Amino acid sequence: MKTQFTSSSVPFSGEITEADRARFEEKGYLAFEQILSNSEVAEATAALTELVHANAFVEGRSIYIPPFANGRAKFKSPRSPFFIEMEPGYEPSPERMEELELKVRKFMLFADEHPVFQSMVQGHPRIGKVVDALLGPGAKMFQSMALVKPPFIGIEKPWHQDNAYFSMTPLDAIVGVWIALDPATDSNGCMHVIEGGHKKGPLKHRHTFDCEVEEGRLHPEDAVPVELAPGGAMFFYGMLPHQTPPNNSPDRRRALQFHYHAAHARTNDREIYDTIFAEADGTPASCAASRPA
């Protein structure tokens, strides 16, 4: 049965229009269909599978970190920042490789680990066209993640602003790109956003099971789901509050996420950033500022 989408995504014309720019400034995001072609989606999903089998329990390719205290097991590369993270509490085994991929939660800093992703972030015609239009020429990708919600067990990613994780300024010089590889629906954990929330400035974050916006800083009832067909993409400000709910469906939800910064963006010392990514009263609002001592 064909998935029915309620998304506000539209076909990508090949150019960013003035109307697109106005919507991006007003809402904080743009959603387009078919940023990746069907063949590119198939290549990307196959590449993620290859990364699991090339690294999980492969001597010399990864270091296994077990899920201490019901945490998240990882396979960490000894030669790069790349790692693969499991859902909380799951302990993988080389005897259960057939189920391992269905328990993956995240591929972190993976873009250099497979030629499919290297090509995707080094001049993809549609991704690059939109990013350059929003950030100006010379924008650079600085972070890559593949975010997975396994069927029935994919946990929530709570409300946050991506800039809370970074220390880069100006605050409007970062754009996230979230690309669906499976149908991303309200039931399996698509993106939810607070439209226009990027205009409210930094919101104080706290640490629970994850880094999230402090209670009372936003109104979740105002959230808008951004459903996407495979290959569809959402481009959003690093200041836009967003969240993905748990996956309560039998359908896996895989997505690629890349962060780009404008050519003029600069990384700051933490002390300086805490005076910039701060609430109106000067309270530092970042994830690092709220981390328990």
Side-chain angles (χ1 to χ4, degrees), residues 9-12 16 20 30-35 130 228 231-233 235:
S9 64
V10 297
F12 180 51
I16 295 297
D20 292 331
L30 294 171
F32 292 117
E33 300 168 9
Q34 295 184 320
I35 288 294
V130 179
L228 292 169
F235 298 79

Side-chain angles (χ1 to χ4, degrees), residues 178-193:
W178 196 94
I179 307 171
L181 297 182
D182 301 299
T185 67
D186 203 16
S187 62
N188 74 357
C190 72
M191 273 279 208
H192 287 63
V193 303

Side-chain angles (χ1 to χ4, degrees), residues 268-277:
N268 300 269
D269 291 336
R270 178 55 54 188
E271 294 77 11
I272 294 174
Y273 193 66
D274 283 347
T275 68
I276 299 169
F277 193 84

Side-chain angles (χ1 to χ4, degrees), residues 32-48:
F32 292 117
E33 300 168 9
Q34 295 184 320
I35 288 294
L36 296 187
S37 66
N38 291 342
S39 62
E40 288 172 324
V41 169
E43 289 173 356
T45 53
L48 291 180

Side-chain angles (χ1 to χ4, degrees), residues 130-154:
V130 179
V131 169
D132 282 352
L134 298 178
L135 289 177
K140 296 184 182 298
M141 192 276 291
F142 69 96
Q143 187 190 70
S144 60
M145 293 184 284
L147 305 167
V148 185
K149 287 192 187 289
F152 298 117
I153 64 169

Side-chain angles (χ1 to χ4, degrees), residues 66-73 86-91 155 209:
F68 296 112
N70 204 35
R72 299 165 184 171
M86 303 291 113
E87 280 290 307
Y90 175 70
E91 186 152 10
I155 64 171
F209 70 93

